Amino acid sequence: LSKLQSGEENFLQYEMQFTHPDGSERTVQVSKHVVQDSLGRIVSYEGIIEDITERKVVEERIARDREMQTFLRELLEISLAPHPLETLVLQCLKKLLQISWLAVLPKGGVFLMEEDGQSLKLVASHALSSALLSFFFFPFFPAASPSPRTGRT
């Protein structure tokens, strides 16, 4: 408002969020402009407040979909490269961890079942500590371990 009052700006537009009395979060777009008399003095301010909550939701969905389409295209490109499986899986894992809604803690690993069907093999990892990595070398279905439900082997 101070920019309008000082004459620095003639029109302002911005977004703001607020909590509606029903408890929902809403986003509005505020547009303001100055009304002047014939001498150029400010007489009043006029404005419009538009609820753009639904538009913002759709824009976010479109951006997320675009990001996912880019990710899938990049995975396809990686999968077509002539590299060993472990290299391809690691490249895919790194791409996966770059997705904005998964990048909170960009760490991870990919496991494959061994041919014996009894254990998992870590084939790719990114940013996991050595202590955590050493924990992952274990039988998946230990033959002599008791079942957690029955206590029998």
Side-chain angles (χ1 to χ4, degrees):
L1 191 58
S2 62
K3 288 183 178 184
L4 288 177
Q5 291 171 335
S6 69
E8 184 180 335
E9 295 282 339
N10 203 17
F11 178 79
L12 287 178
Q13 190 171 55
Y14 56 91
E15 293 177 6
M16 57 186 287
Q17 294 182 320
F18 72 97
T19 303
H20 191 272
D22 69 6
S24 64
E25 293 294 319
R26 308 301 293 174
T27 303
V28 294
Q29 181 175 7
V30 180
S31 303
K32 299 177 184 179
H33 74 274
V34 175
V35 177
Q36 299 174 325
D37 64 13
S38 60
L39 299 174
R41 295 179 296 207
I42 296 174
V43 178
S44 64
Y45 302 95
E46 291 180 345
I48 298 171
I49 298 175
E50 179 183 4
D51 186 342
I52 60 169
T53 305
E54 294 306 316
R55 182 179 84 194
K56 297 298 278 185
V57 168
V58 170
E59 288 172 353
E60 289 171 11
R61 187 178 311 130
I62 290 169
R64 194 172 45 246
D65 288 350
R66 184 178 304 124
E67 181 183 26
M68 188 57 69
Q69 289 171 3
T70 300
F71 167 72
L72 292 172
R73 180 189 46 78
E74 290 171 347
L75 281 186
L76 180 59
E77 290 172 359
I78 290 169
S79 72
L80 296 173
H83 298 295
L85 177 64
E86 286 78 10
T87 302
L88 297 175
V89 171
L90 180 58
Q91 290 175 351
C92 290
L93 175 62
K94 286 181 179 181
K95 285 290 179 190
L96 180 66
L97 294 173
Q98 290 174 0
I99 295 176
S100 63
W101 47 274
L102 290 176
V104 174
L105 187 60
K107 298 179 179 186
V110 176
F111 297 86
L112 294 179
M113 179 69 76
E114 292 283 11
E115 286 186 27
D116 65 6
Q118 298 298 310
S119 57
L120 294 174
K121 176 183 176 187
L122 179 67
V123 294
S125 67
H126 179 71
L128 296 178
S129 70
S130 57
L132 192 56
L133 287 173
S134 66
F135 176 75
F136 285 125
F137 292 99
F138 59 90
F140 187 64
F141 297 113
S145 296
S147 167
R149 290 187 197 156
T150 63
R152 294 179 288 205
T153 54

